[in-house]
Amino acid sequence: MEFSVLWSLSVALLICPLYMGVGVLCEVTCNEERMDMEGGNYTLTKKLEYGSIMIYHCPEGYYPYPALTRLCLKSGTWKPAPRRRPLQQCKMVECPNPLVLESGSVLPVQMQYFVNNKTTYECYSGYSLRGSASRVCQANGKWSGGTPICSRDSGSEDRCADPGIPAGARRSGSSFGIDDKLSYRCDEGLHLLGSKARVCQESGQWTGTEPKCYYKHTYDTALEITEAFGSAIRESLQLAAPIDDTDQEGKKITIDKAGKLNIYIAMDISDSIAEEEFDKARNAVKKLIIKVSSFSVSPNYEIIFFASDVLEVVNIIDFSGDKRKPLEEVLDVLDKFKYDARDNVGTNLNLAFKTILERMAIQKQRNEMLFMEVHHVLIFFTDGAYNMGGSPENTVAKIREAVHMNNKEERDKYLDVYVFGVGSEIFDEDIVPLVTKRNDERHYFKVKNAIELEKTFDEIIDESKIVGLCGLHRNYDSGTADTIRQRYPWMARIDNTHEDGTASKCMGSLVTRRFILTAAHCFKFEDKADKIRVTIGKNQVVKGASRIILHPDYNINGKKNDGIKEFYDYDVALIQLKEDVDISINIRPICIPCTKETSAALRLVGEAITCKQQEQILFKNSLEEVSFISYDKKEQMDQRSDAKLKLQHQLRDNCIGLAATQVEGITPLNLKDVVTDNFLCTGGKQPTRDNVACKGDSGGAVFKDYDEYRTIQVGVISWGTNDLCPGGNSDVKQESSENSRDFHINLFKVVPFLKKYLGNETSDFQPLEFLEN
Ligand SMILES: *[C@@H]1O[C@H](CO)[C@@H](O)[C@H](O)[C@H]1NC(C)=O
Ligand SMILES: *[C@@H]1O[C@H](CO)[C@@H](O)[C@H](O)[C@H]1NC(C)=O
Ligand SMILES: *[C@@H]1O[C@H](CO)[C@@H](O)[C@H](O)[C@H]1NC(C)=O
């Protein structure tokens, strides 16, 4: 009766099935009596069973106090046990003490500062303020803005600037000369994140990162994480980008050898992360992977879920050599992974790190030279709690040793350990020692819940900072001009004044920083480049054109003698701009066929990729979905229109055949001479209606989205059989009728023309790299 003490507890319920000869196996369950919380409520991860977690919930701006969570123990009691005093309640979120400003005053002076309380900061005379002059206590337990600092106006011989004192912290040390050291600690009840000690360096910079004092209820906002993690991961991705890149100044950075990148993702699925949050966490991981792939890097992945044991979803060893796992397969495996909370009572964080260490050891043993070139990025999602396997600190030290190879100084940049603290209760003290510490970089983030995490990864890798990747775009818009622009950042408008004073409007696409691709029929032969106005972005007029280049075989009168009034074969042209445009989130070139840039966007790796292979991917189906942009005059907005290319013989014949009945001069006999193989055909009502192009759409890109983030142009809008938009392009999304067809120049048919100008290697602009064949 050794359990008699426990059993006598009135709170414990028993289920004791009897097994012959084995003795009594008992399950004690927890109970809910007197567990309610004032102002909020709770959820249970596994009902009242052993291992279940009671998670308290409070409204925005409040947090559960004194416990954030309770764990149901084997004994049927909660840990921590509920107490009468202090009573479990929702408390208003507080921000750390701001009255730490030196040489200045803080108003108002209060004992405590709550959500929405505002403070203002003023410096004594002879001192001036850096940082925020007023701050508001936010719902995540942090002050808005940056730490206010009063620094002496003159006479300072200090090498480093006064770094101030963060709210809630104490600082020892007050001289800022070379090698001077400052150390920090936080008030009771707060944890220090960032550097505990900082040293003034000869460069005038402090080592480490600014310390911050966090309550257990303090979280980072999605925006804060996006900014900090985004810039760090971008750095890694750019190191690994396999193609030549051009920075904003137009300098060409050539990376000789593709940098190699290993990403190890480990997700805590023990009870410490509630079951309903699992799917969201999984989605966040998927988003991260998809986003990373859009940067033309193909990292090797290790993906594990862990609790008391480690479940390996993707093994990085499978990636080595030529056996690359395609991204789709990785995502598929992730999707198929079944979350089962029942098996997981323990959390063995150390085992997760050990698994990664082992995988590294195998790679190193197989090919040490290769291992040395690899950049390793570890991304952990955990609440930091573990109850098995011991502390992972030693294992993390071994991982560092494995990568540093006795040369920490040089090789530190090859390893990044990030931890996202996710969960109802996060154990900062246990996480902080694990993450990478590097000047001005953050590697530890506290996320309120998995929903916030998903939101964060949506924004995390900001496309605007990446140059040199064609077709990269935001994959959503909210119907406003600005967001539509970010979705179609290559879109250009062309206004052309002819010699006779008449004007015409066309669409075009930015294909390099120096060139716009459009239709030849937008120009007359005598047109002058300086009469062309190109607009990209909402109101951004490009500095002017220096050259109009029509396809040499374009000749609108070429078949006049055969009764064809206008002949549009090879209806493509390039406009060379006077100078490069600046790449930004709003302005970026689209990918065009048969270039190495497009191979990268299509994730075709290797030297032997051919133009044909790209064509087979982009024109895989007999009916291929494509899009183009029309301007909606009513809404004064660009809108996406959709159509299907009829590619297969019979479908194509039916599509183009109609021209013979609709267009003056075209007969079944001369049809194929007029509508040559260089045209792509859309329209009609079979099998579904397409959107039709309108007059002002000429020269616009016919494009295909590849995966979620890249766009490739496959055609140029040329001509149509029926003008279904009589008032110019006023009726946007005009639908195709039985007898309407649109014809677009197939870019795969005009590659030599594109290559001659866009691939010009002796020019003063960055050429596109075309495939050999
Ligand atoms: C629990 O509390 C949250 C936050 O205060 C509230 O949104 C939710 O409706 C509550 N649920 C129940 C069942 O009372
Ligand atoms: C600070 O916030 C608390 C709680 O909302 C409020 O009662 C108090 O009046 C505020 N103080 C100031 C100075 O605004
Ligand atoms: C390529 O660039 C050089 C230098 O600007 C120029 O002289 C040449 O005409 C260009 N070639 C073509 C085909 O435009």
Side-chain angles (χ1 to χ4, degrees):
M1 290 302 284
E2 50 200 300
F3 290 133
S4 63
V5 181
L6 281 179
W7 291 6
S8 68
L9 278 178
S10 63
V11 292
L13 304 173
L14 299 183
I15 309 161
C16 286
L18 278 172
Y19 291 97
M20 295 271 287
V22 182
V24 183
L25 187 79
C26 286
E27 253 180 54
V28 189
T29 61
C30 284
N31 117 0
E32 289 182 282
E33 250 172 66
R34 290 183 281 119
M35 300 301 284
D36 288 339
M37 175 174 65
E38 219 174 278
N41 53 30
Y42 59 81
T43 51
L44 295 164
T45 58
K46 282 197 236 163
K47 306 204 182 86
L48 292 168
E49 289 162 30
Y50 159 51
S52 178
I53 296 183
M54 172 175 279
I55 301 170
Y56 288 111
H57 306 279
C58 288
E60 171 95 349
Y62 290 80
Y63 69 100
Y65 175 85
L68 293 172
T69 61
R70 293 183 204 280
L71 174 68
C72 178
L73 300 177
K74 258 200 175 100
S75 56
T77 55
W78 294 104
K79 183 191 159 186
R83 301 228 185 106
R84 201 157 292 191
R85 238 169 263 246
L87 191 71
Q88 183 68 30
Q89 60 193 289
C90 284
K91 267 195 149 182
M92 199 178 282
V93 167
E94 257 179 78
C95 282
N97 180 10
L99 305 171
V100 293
L101 181 70
E102 287 187 333
S103 313
S105 58
V106 182
L107 284 174
V109 175
Q110 286 168 216
M111 288 290 289
Q112 286 167 298
Y113 294 84
F114 296 105
V115 176
N116 295 329
N117 280 176
K118 190 176 160 186
T119 44
T120 55
Y121 304 81
E122 248 176 67
C123 294
Y124 301 149
S125 72
Y127 291 85
S128 49
L129 184 82
R130 283 183 290 125
S132 304
S134 87
R135 306 180 86 180
V136 178
C137 176
Q138 305 174 112
N140 64 347
K142 290 186 178 185
W143 290 102
S144 63
T147 305
I149 302 160
C150 292
S151 49
R152 257 183 304 231
D153 285 340
S154 59
S156 164
E157 266 121 57
D158 296 330
R159 176 57 69 108
C160 289
D162 182 347
I165 305 175
R170 306 284 152 114
R171 184 180 81 194
S172 56
S174 51
S175 18
F176 312 133
I178 297 175
D179 288 341
D180 282 334
K181 184 175 167 182
L182 304 174
S183 43
Y184 297 86
R185 64 189 170 80
C186 291
D187 292 344
E188 182 136 354
L190 290 155
H191 308 280
L192 189 140
L193 268 65
S195 303
K196 274 200 178 71
R198 306 184 80 181
V199 178
C200 175
Q201 296 169 291
E202 222 176 311
S203 62
Q205 303 290 315
W206 293 98
T207 58
T209 50
E210 186 182 20
K212 301 266 181 194
C213 295
Y214 277 45
Y215 290 103
K216 261 205 175 301
H217 62 257
T218 307
Y219 290 97
D220 296 318
T221 60
L223 186 68
E224 286 168 328
I225 299 173
T226 302
E227 283 177 359
F229 180 69
S231 72
I233 195 82
R234 250 193 329 262
E235 199 70 7
S236 308
L237 294 177
Q238 281 195 322
L239 278 176
I243 54 170
D244 287 355
D245 211 338
T246 307
D247 69 13
Q248 292 289 16
E249 279 77 49
K251 284 190 304 254
K252 194 171 160 193
I253 309 164
T254 310
I255 302 160
D256 299 343
K257 231 182 248 164
K260 298 185 176 59
L261 179 64
N262 280 3
I263 300 182
Y264 307 81
I265 298 173
M267 178 162 288
D268 186 343
I269 53 163
S270 65
D271 301 349
S272 29
I273 286 180
E275 189 168 350
E276 71 261 24
E277 296 194 337
F278 175 76
D279 270 341
K280 303 217 172 62
R282 172 188 7 224
N283 285 344
V285 171
K286 281 171 60 184
K287 228 162 224 169
L288 179 64
I289 296 175
I290 292 171
K291 200 83 189 226
V292 163
S293 76
S294 70
F295 283 79
S296 292
V297 293
S298 4
N300 297 330
Y301 285 106
E302 169 83 25
I303 302 175
I304 59 180
F305 293 123
F306 67 95
S308 48
D309 228 330
V310 162
L311 298 159
E312 196 161 40
V313 181
V314 176
N315 184 337
I316 200 155
I317 304 301
D318 295 347
F319 273 93
S320 40
D322 295 329
K323 301 185 290 178
R324 271 172 191 280
K325 241 192 198 16
L327 181 78
E328 289 67 30
E329 212 174 297
V330 173
L331 295 176
D332 193 46
V333 179
L334 259 174
D335 272 332
K336 288 196 177 120
F337 183 81
K338 289 263 182 315
Y339 175 72
D340 189 350
R342 279 168 316 179
D343 310 335
N344 302 319
V345 178
T347 312
N348 195 339
L349 185 55
N350 194 13
L351 188 61
F353 278 101
K354 275 185 172 160
T355 307
I356 290 172
L357 178 63
E358 266 169 39
R359 298 290 168 267
M360 282 185 175
I362 295 172
Q363 295 170 59
K364 198 169 170 179
Q365 192 197 10
R366 282 194 181 166
N367 188 343
E368 183 155 334
M369 289 305 285
L370 183 67
F371 184 81
M372 285 193 67
E373 293 172 14
V374 178
H375 182 164
H376 303 270
V377 177
L378 276 61
I379 305 174
F380 269 69
F381 301 88
T382 178
D383 59 5
Y386 54 85
N387 53 14
M388 300 169 69
S391 161
E393 271 192 71
N394 268 334
T395 312
V396 173
K398 283 186 189 145
I399 289 175
R400 289 204 187 101
E401 278 165 30
V403 176
H404 291 163
M405 299 167 139
N406 298 321
N407 187 359
K408 177 171 192 300
E409 198 91 327
E410 286 269 305
R411 297 201 36 88
D412 187 54
K413 60 174 185 284
Y414 286 91
L415 178 67
D416 282 288
V417 182
Y418 295 96
V419 176
F420 286 84
V422 196
S424 313
E425 181 158 18
I426 300 169
F427 296 83
D428 299 313
E429 319 84 278
D430 295 315
I431 294 176
V432 170
L434 309 177
V435 300
T436 297
K437 292 176 191 67
R438 199 172 289 146
N439 291 357
D440 296 323
E441 282 183 19
R442 276 187 74 185
H443 284 76
Y444 172 39
F445 305 98
K446 282 181 79 172
V447 191
K448 186 153 194 188
N449 51 44
I451 301 168
E452 284 290 307
L453 186 65
E454 199 180 347
K455 206 158 91 189
T456 303
F457 282 114
D458 227 4
E459 293 274 315
I460 212 132
I461 306 166
D462 176 2
E463 302 86 347
S464 64
K465 304 277 167 39
I466 301 287
V467 289
L469 294 185
C470 62
L472 191 63
H473 62 278
R474 279 282 158 90
N475 67 343
Y476 51 88
D477 68 68
S478 47
T480 62
D482 288 346
T483 56
I484 289 174
R485 181 72 216 168
Q486 294 178 0
R487 195 166 183 180
Y488 312 107
W490 33 263
M491 208 165 41
R493 246 165 243 302
I494 300 153
D495 290 282
N496 182 13
T497 310
H498 304 296
E499 285 296 277
D500 62 7
T502 58
S504 67
K505 284 178 188 299
C506 270
M507 297 284 281
S509 53
L510 190 69
V511 287
T512 73
R513 293 175 69 183
R514 191 65 71 86
F515 281 96
I516 307 285
L517 176 61
T518 184
H521 80 257
C522 298
F523 306 98
K524 295 183 177 166
F525 281 100
E526 63 282 8
D527 280 352
K528 300 258 160 46
D530 59 5
K531 292 281 167 56
I532 291 172
R533 213 173 67 132
V534 177
T535 314
I536 49 178
K538 216 157 82 191
N539 295 311
Q540 192 158 352
V541 179
V542 174
K543 307 237 166 51
S546 64
R547 185 147 78 130
I548 307 165
I549 310 161
L550 306 186
H551 193 289
D553 297 330
Y554 168 73
N555 179 4
I556 194 157
N557 298 322
K559 293 214 184 286
K560 266 232 160 93
N561 293 342
D562 305 331
I564 310 294
K565 266 207 318 231
E566 292 163 351
F567 179 49
Y568 288 107
D569 207 7
Y570 298 103
D571 187 11
V572 285
L574 288 164
I575 300 171
Q576 183 170 343
L577 304 173
K578 282 201 175 125
E579 45 191 80
D580 282 355
V581 296
D582 286 334
I583 303 301
S584 69
I585 193 158
N586 298 310
I587 300 174
R588 181 183 297 282
I590 194 167
C591 301
I592 58 168
C594 304
T595 61
K596 288 197 176 158
E597 289 81 355
T598 298
S599 291
L602 295 172
R603 292 199 219 102
L604 288 167
V605 285
E607 279 303 304
I609 305 302
T610 62
C611 205
K612 194 87 207 151
Q613 273 170 289
Q614 291 191 357
E615 191 172 353
Q616 279 163 354
I617 290 184
L618 291 162
F619 293 159
K620 188 170 51 201
N621 305 303
S622 44
L623 279 171
E624 199 64 66
E625 289 271 356
V626 288
S627 304
F628 54 91
I629 302 293
S630 273
Y631 186 69
D632 182 345
K633 268 195 188 143
K634 239 182 292 167
E635 299 283 333
Q636 304 220 324
M637 199 85 82
D638 292 306
Q639 292 209 1
R640 180 191 187 110
S641 295
D642 298 309
K644 280 174 215 69
L645 296 179
K646 280 62 177 178
L647 293 172
Q648 188 226 35
H649 293 296
Q650 195 56 48
L651 284 167
R652 185 173 194 279
D653 287 350
N654 289 343
C655 193
I656 68 167
L658 197 102
T661 66
Q662 296 287 309
V663 182
E664 196 188 328
I666 303 184
T667 64
L669 275 179
N670 68 10
L671 176 70
K672 295 219 165 159
D673 296 328
V674 181
V675 187
T676 64
D677 281 349
N678 297 332
F679 288 101
L680 297 166
C681 183
T682 62
K685 284 161 83 171
Q686 297 304 328
T688 51
R689 280 183 139 184
D690 288 342
N691 291 137
V692 296
C694 304
K695 259 208 163 107
D697 297 343
S698 276
V702 177
F703 60 90
K704 274 187 74 66
D705 283 341
Y706 188 75
D707 75 34
E708 291 193 52
Y709 300 101
R710 302 294 287 268
T711 307
I712 295 139
Q713 179 169 1
V714 294
V716 172
I717 297 176
S718 179
W719 60 285
T721 55
N722 297 44
D723 190 1
L724 294 178
C725 337
N729 48 6
S730 59
D731 267 311
V732 96
K733 294 234 173 184
Q734 180 70 51
E735 295 210 316
S736 169
S737 69
E738 196 70 62
N739 293 335
S740 71
R741 298 288 188 272
D742 288 325
F743 299 99
H744 321 284
I745 295 293
N746 180 348
L747 288 189
F748 281 99
K749 304 287 190 183
V750 291
V751 172
F753 168 72
L754 299 173
K755 183 173 179 174
K756 180 173 176 190
Y757 297 97
L758 304 176
N760 186 352
E761 278 168 9
T762 57
S763 56
D764 65 333
F765 53 80
Q766 168 104 18
L768 285 179
E769 279 194 80
F770 282 82
L771 300 173
E772 290 301 320
N773 44 55

